[in-house]
Amino acid sequence: MRRQNAYFRSFASHTEGTVAIVYSLCMIVLVCAAGLAVDTVRAHQADNSSTQALDTTSLATARALSAESLDDAQLTDRAKAYFTENFTKRSSYFANVKKFDLTLDHDKNKATVTAELHLPSLIARLMRQDDFVMVRTSTAQYDLTNLELSMTLDSSGSMFGKKLADLKDAAKELTDMILKDNEEGAHNRIGLAPYSTSVNAGAFAEKATGKADKSTCVSERPGKGKATDKEPKGNPLGRKASSCPSGTVVPLSDDKDTVDNYIDSMVADGSTAGHLGIAWSWYILSPNWSSFWPSSSEPKPYDDKETVKAAVILTDGKFNMAYEDDEDSVKQAKDLCDGMKADGIRVFTIGFQAPVEAVEILKYCASNDISYFDAQDGDSLKAAFRAIGSTLTDLRITQ
């Protein structure tokens, strides 16, 4: 017995290999934790993809419910196929659609889609969790509101030639996308604010500045009011610009030919006073300027629930021209964009072969990351305008 006791005491006193054992146990825990993290990330990404696909599906189904003569079974089949296609494109991470339901309200053109997804686990199955189950729902109602859109278009000298021609084609394509909805009962309107060294206010110059002059070129208003949308009466704009673009400001209009003709009238020349174009784009949409514009062009109030206000800002170069208070064009542009976004205007921006300095201000002005577009040629410019048109259509649908 003494020998046996001595043997066990000797065995218990040996510590060789202890670290290896502890390390192995820790590695098992770490591997499991890493695997669970991978599963969790996959589930999160699949969840995001399914949510986006469901939103797209509910919008498309609500449109179809309003515009097409399909029965409920046909709409359900189409919705399920549409969701599956979009979900797969957005990376499904091998999730399976176990259940798909569509609820329709024909009176309100409302569609509610619900999907139950099962994502096979990789590591969690070791802990008896074979699937991550996600149930998501999206509802959309096809109830068109009206759109007021202003376009700030660069017609400076660097836009000469093919670049300006590409811009005209792309802008007119957007005009067609927006104004064709008027055939279905909408009241969409578009205004233009071309700019170069300054803005050409045309017939509105004297009213905006409070001064008669042979030139219709206008610069920013002096003082604290220059970064606001105050009405020009009592807050006149400046007359310091020495030249202005050929294309003039166009107030909100629902006449496609009128808007297109003004787009075609733009000629590339001069410097880049981008903040002036942004300012006039805001004035075109601002209800504070309602009495300034013709009655048919009066902007709706900011809180009008039946109206969406949006602006497109395009440039191919650095903002390099300003007139008042020693503030450069970039600083004023940022202040103006802050004001527009604070008033609920959705701002889209496009850099057309733009340098880094221009991209920085365009990204700042955009309402969010996906509202900035980088265009390097005519085709990508048209694609950017089409994407904006599609987004504006979605913005006009009550969800």
Side-chain angles (χ1 to χ4, degrees):
M1 289 294 294
R2 285 196 297 270
R3 284 184 179 178
Q4 290 177 346
N5 289 338
Y7 174 79
F8 283 119
R9 284 195 299 272
S10 174
F11 178 80
S13 67
H14 283 286
T15 58
E16 292 86 350
T18 303
V19 173
I21 295 172
V22 173
Y23 179 78
S24 298
L25 292 173
C26 289
M27 283 301 298
I28 293 173
V29 174
L30 289 173
V31 169
C32 289
L36 285 173
V38 171
D39 276 341
T40 301
V41 170
R42 290 174 61 242
H44 178 70
Q45 292 173 332
D47 188 31
N48 285 342
S49 297
S50 67
T51 299
Q52 294 172 17
L54 278 173
D55 287 344
T56 303
T57 301
S58 63
L59 284 170
T61 306
R63 287 195 192 100
L65 179 62
S66 171
E68 301 183 46
S69 300
L70 301 175
D71 60 32
D72 288 8
Q74 291 172 316
L75 286 167
T76 300
D77 290 341
R78 178 186 287 190
K80 185 174 183 179
Y82 194 77
F83 169 75
T84 302
E85 180 184 0
N86 277 271
F87 184 42
T88 302
K89 284 182 179 179
R90 296 175 186 274
S91 299
S92 63
Y93 297 92
F94 305 105
N96 300 310
V97 182
K98 293 294 185 181
K99 293 182 181 179
F100 184 89
D101 295 314
L102 174 64
T103 303
L104 300 171
D105 185 333
H106 291 266
D107 293 332
K108 296 182 179 180
N109 293 326
K110 183 185 291 186
T112 300
V113 290
T114 301
E116 180 181 315
L117 308 171
H118 289 227
L119 177 69
S121 62
L122 299 177
I123 301 299
R125 64 180 56 246
L126 297 176
M127 286 158 277
R128 298 184 179 180
Q129 182 173 339
D130 294 333
D131 295 320
F132 290 94
V133 180
M134 297 163 280
V135 180
R136 295 292 177 265
T137 298
S138 176
T139 299
Q141 180 176 344
Y142 193 75
D143 183 15
L144 288 181
T145 56
N146 300 316
L147 175 66
E148 294 178 355
L149 173 66
S150 62
M151 290 196 281
T152 304
L153 303 178
D154 186 346
S155 62
S156 61
S158 57
M159 289 290 294
F160 181 78
K162 189 176 186 303
K163 290 178 73 174
L164 187 59
D166 287 337
L167 171 58
K168 291 178 179 180
D169 289 342
K172 288 189 291 184
E173 188 170 334
L174 177 59
T175 297
D176 183 60
M177 291 178 68
I178 300 303
L179 296 183
K180 71 178 181 180
D181 281 348
N182 292 345
E183 299 172 3
E184 300 178 5
H187 186 208
N188 298 340
R189 296 178 296 168
I190 297 176
L192 303 175
Y195 69 93
S196 59
T197 304
S198 67
V199 164
N200 187 343
F204 303 104
E206 182 175 346
K207 195 174 181 181
T209 63
K211 298 179 181 179
D213 196 299
K214 292 181 180 180
S215 171
T216 54
C217 302
V218 296
S219 55
E220 66 266 31
R221 68 176 111 216
K224 297 180 180 179
K226 63 177 174 288
T228 72
D229 63 337
K230 291 181 178 180
E231 62 175 338
K233 187 177 181 180
N235 302 278
L237 279 76
R239 279 281 198 180
K240 292 187 177 182
S242 58
S243 65
C244 52
S246 60
T248 62
V249 168
V250 180
L252 292 172
S253 173
D254 59 7
D255 189 309
K256 182 180 183 299
D257 290 338
T258 295
V259 177
D260 284 350
N261 288 338
Y262 274 98
I263 291 174
D264 282 331
S265 73
M266 293 193 303
V267 176
D269 186 36
S271 301
T272 312
H275 67 292
L276 294 181
I278 294 172
W280 278 89
S281 190
W282 190 4
Y283 304 156
I284 287 170
L285 300 173
S286 173
N288 295 329
W289 282 58
S290 292
S291 61
F292 179 87
W293 302 115
S295 58
S296 61
S297 300
E298 290 182 10
K300 296 293 184 181
Y302 286 127
D303 59 357
D304 189 308
K305 294 182 179 180
E306 297 182 353
T307 303
V308 172
K309 293 178 183 282
V312 176
I313 300 169
L314 178 142
T315 189
D316 78 328
K318 181 181 178 181
F319 293 178
N320 57 18
M321 179 63 66
Y323 300 91
E324 297 288 349
D325 303 333
D326 297 323
E327 282 194 4
D328 63 21
S329 182
V330 171
K331 171 64 167 62
Q332 294 187 60
K334 287 184 176 181
D335 291 342
L336 289 161
C337 288
D338 287 342
M340 292 176 72
K341 290 185 286 187
D343 282 335
I345 297 172
R346 179 69 179 269
V347 180
F348 300 88
T349 61
I350 304 173
F352 189 19
Q353 300 177 16
V356 173
E357 297 88 346
V359 170
E360 188 274 333
I361 180 60
L362 291 172
K363 287 185 175 180
Y364 181 91
C365 282
S367 288
N368 50 46
D369 291 342
I370 62 173
S371 296
Y372 165 73
F373 297 86
D374 178 39
Q376 293 299 320
D377 54 34
D379 289 339
S380 57
L381 182 66
K382 289 181 180 180
F385 273 92
R386 288 191 204 107
I388 292 171
S390 297
T391 302
L392 289 172
T393 298
D394 289 345
L395 284 173
R396 295 176 55 241
I397 298 175
T398 302
Q399 299 185 49

